[in-house]
Structure formats: structure tokens, C-alpha cells
Amino acid sequence: MPFLNDNHRESARHYIPASESDINEMLGAIGASSLKDLFSHIPEDAFFGDLPDVPEELDYDAAMKHLEALSKKNDSALSFIGDGLPDFAQHEIVEHVANIRNLTTAYTPYQPERSQGTLLTHWIYQCLMSKLTGFEAINSSLYERSTALFEAICTAIRLKKKADSALISEGIYPGDREVLETLVADTDIQLEWVPLDPATGQTDLTALKSKAAEMGDRLAAIAFPQVNSLGILEEVDALTDAISESGALSIAVIDPMLLATGGLKRPVDYGQNGADLIVGEGQHLAIEANFGGPGLGVFGVRHNDKTKNHVRATPGRFVGLAKDESGRECRVMVLSTREQHIRKDKATSNICSNQAFLATLAGAALLAKGESGMAHSLQTARNNALEFAKACGAKLAFPQAHFYNEVLLEVDDPAALLADAEKKGILAGIDVSDRLVGGRKLLKVSFNDKQSSDDVKKLTALFDGESSVVESIPPTLLRAEPAGLPEFGLAEVKRYYEQLGELNVSPDDGCYPLGSCTMKYNPYLNDWAAGLAGFTGAHPQAPESAVQGSLEILYETQEWFKAITGLPGLTTQPVAGAQGELVGIKLFQAYHRDRGEAHRDVIFIPKSSHGTNFATATMAGMASRTIDGKKHGIVLLESNSIGEIDIADFEAKLDEYGPRLCGVMITNPNTCGLFETRFKEIADKVHAAGGLVYMDGANMNAVAGWLNLDKLGVDAVHNNLHKTWTIPHGGGGPGDAIVAVSEKLVDFLPGRQVVKAVDGTFSTIRTPKSIGSFHRHWGNFAHKVRCYAYLLRLGKEGIPRMSAVAVLASRYLFSKLKTAYPTLPAGSDDAPRMHEFILTLTEDDFKRIEEAGVPRALAITRVGKLFLDYGFHAPTVAWPETFGLMIEPTESYTMAELDRFAEAVTQIGKTIRENPGVLNGAPYFTPVDRVDEVSANRSLQLHESLEKLPEINPNRISPVELARMPLEEITERIGQACAV
């Protein structure tokens, strides 16, 4: 078990390295006698009566054997399934980069001076995707293709001020359509559809023009695929020009793999002016099918002299070129003022975590494969498709239509053919008969670079078609010039990414104190399990009989989280906490609509809530607005003197809005680290008024295994699997989530439920009133494997122990630091902290800092920079309290590690009091000085040609070295650097 070598976190029971002696000593230091004492301020009737009803923990060996056995329950059949998720070979660079822990485990790069590694990986992705597509602005990812398409429609509506509608080709993947229809429900967005022409299998251009003319100024955008869901190439030039003539924006749905040299036309070259926006799926640029996820939502917009402001209407993160205060070239996230953590309900999207690490892996794979490697992969897929099509020519459904690597056949009985093929160990394609009117029996077969010529011959043997000539694709549909991807040696790329990892800091190395982010240790076992071939090779559209291992993982996850939350229903489909929030609110809307109470359009949200709550409410159709003197949408709840919800304010607003109340969203414990002790009272009153209760479970690391959320009155709750349940943050994603619900909402759950038959086999069903889907397939399945592996090692005793030790670590640190710093919220000094707490500076501190030349408004962020120089990531700065430093230690550290962190924080306070001018230059030891973010945002540069690998500014003192250095020496060196 190599994961265990010299790794005190990996080898510790429940991944909690604090010894029993540590735990007892910390309990004594805060005046507690047991872990249960930490929850004594919470009403007793909220607790479980016993340990969670999940299995006993497995030891390391047993967990590995169990996980490997599960992976082998998936059939490793020869597959010709692509369809909603193309499947190409994974390059060896992917595994190498995925094992660079400082890249996989780092947080979103909000501290650019200590995140240059992550930022450069995203920059590389953006630049290489620009080469493939021709688009100047590619963001660093969205969840997956279907979400990206929805966000593109929202972008177009923002750009077309009077518009509220989009027109979409029925040629998009049906799973994407389902997601779109789910997301637009209860919003002002209107969708209309353009049919496929049964005679050609392509989007009906005449119908498109007619519908666009009818819609007039209401029409913001028209979306169409380059390759439709029948595998047929669309006439992209004619479509794009027709859309331009209509006055709408064009959204092209592309496959970036097919844009390599030798492939299809770049979207920037469609028609006379090119497409306006692009979306697509990029998962297969990086990893195998993985039962559907994590995906990689590609999103791009034009950014030139004619469209320079379009990018400001888009969602997601962009990395831009920047300089630090000494003139070093570096990278930084730009356009952040569009995002939920700043703009709240006015944000362009509720998305918080994206698919950042998939973008990192895709960029690395594109670099390692280079121009020739990408062209080879593409040509292999094309040759396989041609070989098959020529052999089965008599069965081509549209002999005159053009295809690239997917072949559409007309057969007598697709279901029987597929069943017979499965018996012979071949997954022969997808029955797509329901995608075209006319009743034809259609089978789509997909080809990639994993299949050999012998594999194609095995498939061909299933058919009895005569050989035929396949027409060449006309040049008007093909790429006109080479992509120009750079070529580097594999060893060079590997070493480059290793160096990038050295620029970040990881929870592996020591306390990572980001409040509200739960930066706990991410076990190696989880990654090993997610990488098992049986899981990685499973396609989400394979027959259920072929993916029993994957379905068992999802089933167990469903059932265990029902036990952990105390709630009777659960969906595993959401891919992030913010998406979990959206699922919850849309469930509320569906429930009220089903009861004839669709007028309930007010939602209560505490002022201190995470920005996603506000953005989610807006995205669900509950934007704040006043109509005929009545307020609709979000109504803010005030806090009392100790930081909890002000009951008097709540009751006054309930009296005013009760008959129109959809529900309330409450984070508990709240964003100040305090448990909302009157949560049940609030829930009962909301229910009495006819509303529902959403608990934002971002802070479940404080209460998991202790509190029964059903007893608390919760109707829906999400859990961030990338927080509480050890999914690595990946430099900003992929995140992951589950949503658990009360009995009222079970029938409305999205996606599919996994059920277990008496014979032990697994199948899936839809709930009777399902609200639809939030993902093209099953969500971020590989992360569900990671979560499952963690739960195996925790077992029923480990879950409450994990959360209790997290609270203990926080309260222990708080007891050591509250004498050195004032605390927030003001007046809450004696309130019991849960998993996190907020510190601030004294009024005298602020005055001295201002006298040293640092404006008061920047003081806290500058103090955060000083944490970087002591070898730590900064706490969460200036949120939820403007002048606060929010610290969350988690259960992943020993008492000695917590003591060192506390001493460092105390030393930081002493340093700024003795020499406040030190904040003018901090940080001093990171790869770059403080980044000039203002200039980077004013002069946006979002890509470069990448003829050589971007220059790396090395650490001046590495985090590893700082972790070993005496704190007094660090302080002395900071003083010396400040004096230069």
C-alpha cells in the first residue's frame, strides 16, 4: 500500500492524524470533557438517537479489495458508443498531472501570488482551445455541455436587451435538451425548437428562418450543432449566415476534438462572420468516459474590436495576462466582478466551482499530444468510421449526408441488434430512432482512436450490408488550415507541470485555513479508486447490465446519505454545491406548482449567506423586483447581535410575505461559524405559512452524523462532496454534490433513482413528477467514487468523529487566538463556534495601517497576503464580514500543526502592530509580488500563441521550506525583505 508510506494523514484512522492524547488535551484546553460537549448548545431534539445507519468502517486493505471488486462488475466490452459523450484515448500525461498533489488539491486561485501553478494551467487550456476554435475568449470551463448551452443562451439574452427567447435545433443531444428545459422552468426565458428535416437529417433551414422572423425582437440567439445527434454534419455556413440576417446571436455546439488538423471547420470561420458563441463538451480531451463525469463544459465568446464587451456578459472564470508590482509577467483571474461572490443576485451565473482540474488536464493533454498527436487521434477515428461505413454502405440512413466519425444506419430492429451484439461482447451503438420523425429504425455508431481495425471488423461482422462508396466531405465543412498546436516532448511537459505544482500550496503540507471552504486532506485511496479501469472505461449510455458496478456505487451513495442526513429522498446528479442549491429551489417551485400555488415567488435569504444563494434564486426565476408596489423574489433576513438570524425581523417579514413565501434558504452552521439555534422554530413557522426550508449544507463538516435534518425541519439540503466528503478542489473544481429531500419532495427528484432488485441487480427509474435533469448524464461520477471510498473508511463511527474533531480544531484555535485578535460578529465573543470563526483587527491596528499607507478598505486583504509568507494559504478575507479573516482548520491536522498555525497568526498580528508598513509589500516569498489586478482587467488579454511554454517565476522561498523554518526566522526575513 504505497499510499501509506510516511503519510501520517493517510494512515490515520478516519484520516484524522490528531492522537487521542491530542484530542483530550484540546478538549481540556477549551473546558470540554467529550466530543459530544461541543454540541451542547444545540437543542437536544435535533440529534440522531444513534450512529448513522451506514456500514462499519473497512480497513485499508479491505476497502481496496471492495472497490476493485465493484469496478470489475462493469463489463469491459468493445464499445462503439459515443453519442452524448465522445470517448477517446486518455494520454499518459493525464495520470502524471493528476498525481501532482499541489495542483489537484489546491483551492480556486483567488490568491494569485500563491496560485500561479493553477493559473498557468488554465492559461494553457485557454490558449490551446483558442487555437482549435479561433475564438479569442475561452473561459476556464463550465460544468458540461448542456449547462454551457444554457449559460450561452443567458449570455445572449443579456446582450440583446429586449429579448427573452432562444431558438434551438432539435439536432442537439436529447440529454442537453432535457437540461435546458429543466433550467428554464419558472424563469422568463422562452425556448422554441427547429425540427430536423426528415429528408436530409439536418436542421430545417427554411423552418429556422420562418420561426426567427416570427419571433422578431424577442429572439436573442439561435443554437445549432456542428455535428447533430444523428452524427450528420450540419451546413454551418448557411445556418450562421441565416442567424446573422435574423439579428440574433449564433451559438454553435462543437466538439473540440473534431477541430484538430484534418478535422472540421473552426466556428470562427462559419459563414461570413463566424459564430458568436460556442459551447461544447471537452471531457474526452482529458479523461475517459468515467460513466459521464466529471465533464468539461467548453464556453467561448468572440473578443475583438467589434465585440470587446461581450465577454463581460458571460459566466465563469477567465484567466488573463498580468504583471506584478515589480513588472514580472504572471497570470490572474479577471472579470471577477461578474461572479456570484461579488455580485450576488446580479451575477451572470450562480456557478462557483467549475471543472477547473479537467481544464488543467485537457490543457496538458493538448500540449503533450501536440499538433501531430491530435491529428493522429482524429484521423484514426475518421478512418475507423470510413472503414465501417464503406462495409455497411447499403444500410446508411442518409447516403448523401456527410458524417465525420459517427455513422447512422437504418436497421430492421435496433434493440434486437444491440442485444445480440452485447452477448458477443460488443456495445454496438445507440438506438436513435426517436430523434427523427417518420418512424425509421436508426442506429448510431461512434468511432474513436481507441478502436483498432480488427475491432471495426468485429463490428462489421454483425451487419450484412454491401460495400459502398462514401462521399468525401466537401472543403466548405472542413478546417482550412492546420491548428498550429505546439509540439513539446513528453518529458518536458511532465517536468513543466511538476514545476507548476511547486508554485501552489496544498492541504497535504499543513493547515489550509480558508473559511467556508473546508480544505481538508484528500486521501490517495479515493483517487486510486476513481482511477480503476472498470470505472473509468464505463460509458454513461451503456446498457444497465454492463455498468452494474457504477450503479451500485450510486445506489449505496443514495442510501448512505439518506442515513447521514435523516431525509428519505436523494439525488446524486448535481455536480456542485451551487447546482445543488438550484435543484432545491426548483424542487420547491415544482412542489408549489403541483399544489396550485405557483404564485409563491418570494424567498427569504439571510444577508450573511454565500453569494451563490442569491445568484441561485435569481437563476431559478426569483430575481428581486418590485411589481405594482409589491416586492417579489429575494427578501433579506437580518442578523441579531450575536450573528444568528434575527427572529423579530424574520417574523415581521413572514407576516408580510407568508402567503407568497416559496421558502427560506439558511446556511447552518452559518457563514460566521455559528449554529442557528432557532432553526427548528424558523422551520416550523415557514411550514405553517406554506413555505419550504432549504438548508445550505456547505458547512456539514461541522454537524455530519450528529444532527437529523428531518427533525430540524429541512425539506432540502445539499452537501458539497468537495468539502465535507474529501473531493479535491482541483484549483476551483470539479466540485460535486448530493441533494437530500423530505418526503414532500421525493416524487419531484431530478435525474434517475437507482433501485436494487431482490436478486441484487441494479436498475434505474424516474420519479413520477421528476423536474427533469441537471446534467447530460449521471453527474460527476468519478467524484462519487471518491466520496464512496471515503465513506468506506469512515463507517458509522467515523462520520460523527470527523465532524466533531473539525469543530474541536476550530474551537481550540479560537481559544488560542481570541485574546490576540478581536472577533466577529461584534458581540458574539461568547457564542460557541462550530467549524470556523472570524477574526479582525483593533481600531488602533487599522489606524496604524492607514498611517503606514494602506487604505482601511485594503487592510484585511493585505493581512491575508502575509499569511502566504508564513507558508499558509490566506484565510477567507473580507467575507462574510468586510473586515474579517475567516479561519476553518478542519480535522486534518495534529495539535502540533494547529499550534504552529496559531503561533504564526499571533506572530502576524505582532508584526503588523510593530511594523505596519510590512503590508505595503506583502507577499515577499511567493513566485511573484502582489499582482496588479486592476491593469489586467482594464487591458484584457485572454490568450497567446504559445510557441513556447510560458515562463515560470520560481518560488523565492517555497512553502515546503517555510513549513520547516522557525517562525521567528520567517518574521526576521519578512522584516529584511520589507526594508529593501
Side-chain angles (χ1 to χ4, degrees):
M1 293 178 285
F3 315 125
L4 299 178
N5 294 343
D6 301 319
N7 188 334
H8 68 295
R9 294 188 228 288
E10 190 79 16
S11 59
R13 186 185 181 211
H14 306 146
Y15 305 107
I16 298 172
S19 66
E20 287 304 308
S21 174
D22 281 353
I23 291 171
N24 289 330
E25 192 170 340
M26 288 191 285
L27 285 169
I30 63 171
S33 59
S34 70
L35 292 176
K36 192 174 191 310
D37 287 350
L38 302 171
F39 304 90
S40 61
H41 61 297
I42 298 174
E44 189 64 33
D45 59 3
F47 287 81
F48 282 112
D50 204 347
L51 293 172
D53 185 18
V54 301
E56 299 286 351
E57 66 198 77
L58 296 183
D59 66 28
Y60 218 90
D61 266 343
M64 291 181 75
K65 289 175 182 175
H66 178 76
L67 289 159
E68 191 160 19
L70 271 181
S71 73
K72 290 179 179 177
K73 290 185 179 181
N74 286 344
D75 293 343
S76 56
L78 172 60
S79 177
F80 293 89
I81 300 175
D83 197 35
L85 180 62
D87 186 16
F88 278 72
Q90 178 177 301
H91 193 279
E92 67 174 282
I93 190 66
V94 169
E95 183 176 0
H96 183 82
V97 174
N99 284 316
I100 301 174
R101 296 277 290 185
N102 282 33
L103 291 178
T104 64
T105 63
Y107 191 62
T108 307
Y110 291 129
Q111 294 287 342
E113 298 85 3
R114 183 39 77 207
S115 307
Q116 286 297 299
T118 293
L119 289 163
L120 279 165
T121 70
H122 294 172
W123 176 257
I124 289 167
Y125 167 79
Q126 289 179 191
C127 294
L128 297 179
M129 291 298 287
S130 287
K131 280 188 173 292
L132 288 175
T133 65
F135 270 55
E136 302 90 349
I138 304 288
N139 78 12
S140 60
S141 75
L142 297 175
Y143 298 145
E144 34 71 74
R145 180 185 56 239
S146 59
T147 310
L149 180 52
F150 172 76
E151 294 286 0
I153 291 168
C154 294
T155 298
I157 290 172
R158 281 189 288 273
L159 291 170
K160 295 283 186 178
K161 300 300 183 185
K162 297 180 181 179
D164 64 0
S165 303
L167 190 54
I168 304 163
S169 166
E170 290 185 350
I172 68 168
Y173 173 60
D176 295 346
R177 177 172 181 162
E178 183 177 0
V179 172
L180 286 182
E181 292 177 336
T182 302
L183 293 176
V184 301
D186 297 296
T187 73
D188 294 332
I189 300 172
Q190 304 296 315
L191 301 182
E192 296 195 26
W193 299 88
V194 182
L196 296 181
D197 184 343
T200 65
Q202 295 173 312
T203 301
D204 188 325
L205 185 59
T206 301
L208 182 148
K209 291 178 179 179
S210 176
K211 282 181 175 283
E214 290 173 12
M215 296 170 76
D217 290 342
R218 292 193 302 112
L219 182 59
I222 303 178
F224 63 90
Q226 183 171 30
V227 182
N228 68 31
S229 68
L230 300 178
I232 294 172
L233 304 190
E234 293 280 3
E235 295 293 340
V236 292
D237 292 341
L239 288 167
T240 306
D241 285 343
I243 295 168
S244 179
E245 290 168 10
S246 77
L249 296 173
S250 54
I251 303 172
V253 183
I254 54 106
D255 178 347
M257 176 64 78
L258 302 186
L259 302 180
T261 297
L264 300 179
K265 176 177 280 190
R266 301 184 306 169
V268 75
D269 296 326
Y270 293 177
Q272 293 184 10
N273 299 308
D276 297 299
L277 295 118
I278 54 169
V279 299
E281 183 57 58
Q283 177 180 331
H284 51 299
L285 294 177
I287 61 173
E288 292 186 279
N290 283 270
F291 206 48
L296 175 58
V298 176
F299 184 100
V301 65
R302 300 304 307 275
H303 182 58
N304 51 42
D305 289 340
K306 294 181 181 179
T307 59
K308 63 175 61 178
N309 288 321
H310 283 197
V311 70
R312 300 182 186 278
T314 63
R317 301 188 186 116
F318 289 87
V319 173
L321 193 66
K323 290 187 182 295
D324 74 358
E325 293 196 336
S326 296
R328 297 181 187 89
E329 191 173 272
C330 55
R331 307 299 183 280
V332 68
M333 288 199 302
V334 292
L335 302 169
S336 295
T337 52
R338 302 164 301 117
E339 294 190 61
Q340 49 72 33
H341 63 287
I342 295 175
R343 292 279 285 167
K344 294 190 172 182
D345 59 313
K346 306 300 183 187
T348 55
S349 173
N350 80 326
I351 291 176
C352 182
S353 63
N354 58 7
Q355 305 297 96
F357 199 66
L358 263 291
T360 291
L361 294 177
L366 288 169
L367 270 187
K369 293 179 79 168
E371 178 80 358
S372 58
M374 283 291 289
H376 177 74
S377 290
L378 194 56
Q379 194 58 53
T380 300
R382 174 65 177 162
N383 289 344
N384 287 339
L386 285 173
E387 180 181 344
F388 175 75
K390 289 174 181 177
C392 296
K395 293 182 179 291
L396 291 178
F398 293 96
Q400 304 307 311
H402 301 291
F403 63 88
Y404 195 86
N405 67 316
E406 294 183 305
V407 180
L408 186 70
L409 304 178
E410 185 164 15
V411 298
D412 295 331
D413 188 342
L417 189 151
L418 290 171
D420 181 60
E422 188 179 355
K423 291 176 184 176
K424 297 175 181 177
I426 300 174
L427 302 179
I430 297 292
D431 183 348
V432 295
S433 304
D434 59 352
R435 298 183 190 178
L436 192 69
V437 297
R440 298 175 71 184
K441 303 295 185 181
L442 303 174
L443 179 72
K444 186 168 80 165
V445 186
S446 301
F447 297 89
N448 57 44
D449 62 345
K450 297 163 70 171
Q451 302 145 348
S452 67
S453 181
D454 285 344
D455 294 335
V456 175
K457 287 181 173 63
K458 291 177 184 176
L459 177 69
T460 304
L462 300 174
F463 301 87
D464 57 2
E466 301 174 4
S467 60
S468 177
V469 175
V470 176
E471 290 193 16
S472 299
I473 300 173
T476 54
L477 298 179
L478 295 173
R479 188 178 187 105
E481 71 280 327
L485 295 174
E487 298 268 13
F488 299 102
L490 179 59
E492 182 181 6
V493 177
K494 285 183 175 181
R495 179 58 190 141
Y496 183 79
Y497 276 81
E498 290 167 4
Q499 291 173 322
L500 293 181
E502 294 167 5
L503 307 181
N504 287 355
V505 66
S506 165
D508 288 4
D509 304 325
C511 193
Y512 205 117
L514 264 169
S516 194
C517 301
T518 314
M519 295 297 293
K520 67 202 302 181
Y521 176 70
N522 308 131
Y524 282 83
L525 175 69
N526 300 0
D527 288 339
W528 171 83
L532 290 168
F535 294 139
T536 62
H539 196 281
Q541 292 173 250
E544 291 181 351
S545 57
V547 288
Q548 287 291 294
S550 295
L551 293 178
E552 186 167 348
I553 290 272
L554 293 178
Y555 175 79
E556 299 278 0
T557 301
Q558 275 177 197
E559 301 310 303
W560 292 357
F561 272 108
K562 289 177 187 177
I564 290 166
T565 61
L567 294 166
L570 191 127
T571 176
T572 61
Q573 194 180 53
V575 299
Q579 192 176 65
E581 295 171 18
L582 187 61
V583 169
I585 301 310
K586 285 196 168 288
L587 286 168
F588 287 11
Q589 292 169 319
Y591 171 82
H592 290 311
R593 189 168 57 249
D594 187 63
R595 291 164 55 87
E597 296 187 332
H599 66 277
R600 290 183 174 271
D601 63 351
V602 170
I603 189 157
F604 290 172
I605 305 177
K607 266 187 176 178
S608 62
S609 296
H610 195 281
T612 54
N613 287 186
F614 306 97
T616 293
T618 296
M619 191 171 176
M622 290 190 173
S624 298
R625 62 184 102 180
T626 301
I627 303 172
D628 297 330
K630 283 187 176 182
K631 186 173 177 58
H632 299 258
I634 300 166
V635 172
L636 299 178
L637 298 180
E638 302 291 339
S639 297
N640 62 20
S641 60
I642 62 168
E644 294 184 34
I645 293 171
D646 186 315
I647 294 296
D649 175 72
F650 161 73
E651 289 176 340
K653 286 166 179 170
L654 189 63
D655 286 343
E656 182 177 358
Y657 298 106
R660 295 194 292 118
L661 183 64
C662 175
V664 62
M665 299 180 79
I666 303 176
T667 305
N668 200 20
N670 67 27
T671 56
C672 299
L674 302 168
F675 189 83
E676 296 283 353
T677 54
R678 301 180 74 174
F679 186 98
K680 180 63 163 62
E681 178 185 346
I682 292 170
D684 287 346
K685 290 179 177 179
V686 168
H687 288 149
L692 297 171
V693 177
Y694 187 89
M695 186 177 121
D696 183 325
N699 296 333
M700 277 292 288
N701 210 56
V703 297
W706 292 91
L707 300 188
N708 184 328
L709 304 189
D710 196 39
K711 290 183 179 180
L712 272 178
V714 173
D715 291 301
V717 62
H718 78 264
N719 276 204
N720 299 70
L721 303 191
H722 57 286
K723 292 185 177 183
T724 305
W725 308 105
T726 70
I727 306 306
H729 278 71
D736 203 28
I738 56 91
V739 172
V741 300
S742 67
E743 191 65 46
K744 298 172 186 174
L745 300 178
V746 169
D747 284 350
F748 299 91
L749 284 168
R752 301 188 70 84
Q753 296 284 295
V754 182
V755 294
K756 185 177 183 179
V758 292
D759 64 358
T761 60
F762 298 90
S763 59
T764 66
I765 60 169
R766 279 200 181 274
T767 55
K769 299 177 183 179
S770 174
I771 59 174
S773 283
F774 288 79
H775 187 272
R776 52 170 164 69
H777 291 113
W778 296 96
N780 287 348
F781 175 75
H783 278 354
K784 296 300 187 300
V785 177
R786 290 180 171 92
C787 173
Y788 181 81
Y790 181 54
L791 289 171
L792 287 177
R793 295 282 291 123
L794 288 187
K796 62 175 58 188
E797 291 183 9
I799 293 168
R801 182 169 179 261
M802 167 268 290
S803 54
V805 175
V807 173
L808 174 60
S810 171
R811 208 161 300 169
Y812 174 69
L813 275 184
F814 184 67
S815 72
K816 293 177 79 73
L817 293 172
K818 68 180 181 179
T819 57
Y821 289 83
T823 61
L824 292 173
S828 67
D829 292 9
D830 298 325
R833 266 39 181 202
M834 296 296 286
H835 61 301
E836 63 191 1
F837 56 89
I838 304 174
L839 302 178
T840 188
L841 303 175
T842 68
E843 184 59 29
D844 284 344
D845 292 335
F846 281 115
K847 287 179 180 177
R848 282 193 291 267
I849 289 169
E850 285 184 288
E851 289 168 359
V854 177
R856 177 181 289 245
L858 298 178
I860 290 297
T861 58
R862 295 289 178 85
V863 173
K865 302 298 183 189
L866 210 50
F867 277 75
L868 310 182
D869 283 333
Y870 280 84
F872 301 102
H873 194 282
T876 297
V877 296
W879 184 84
E881 295 275 357
T882 304
F883 295 105
L885 295 158
M886 184 159 60
I887 293 172
E888 180 183 3
T890 82
E891 75 279 9
S892 296
Y893 304 100
T894 64
M895 189 173 74
E897 289 174 306
L898 295 174
D899 285 342
R900 177 179 170 87
F901 177 74
E903 290 167 15
V905 179
T906 302
Q907 189 66 52
I908 288 169
K910 182 180 177 183
T911 298
I912 60 179
R913 285 160 192 150
E914 293 177 352
N915 182 16
V918 76
L919 297 180
N920 283 301
Y924 297 95
F925 306 145
T926 48
V928 295
D929 289 335
R930 195 165 57 249
V931 176
D932 183 356
E933 299 186 40
V934 173
S935 295
N937 278 279
R938 282 178 181 164
S939 304
L940 286 177
Q941 184 175 336
L942 303 175
H943 70 99
E944 62 182 338
S945 63
L946 272 197
E947 294 172 2
K948 61 180 182 178
L949 293 172
E951 183 179 349
I952 293 176
N953 296 300
N955 287 303
R956 287 170 284 184
I957 303 179
S958 77
V960 174
E961 187 178 350
L962 288 167
R964 297 172 182 155
M965 193 179 292
L967 295 173
E968 295 80 4
E969 183 179 343
I970 294 175
T971 302
E972 183 180 343
R973 291 199 184 194
I974 289 172
Q976 292 168 353
C978 176
V980 173

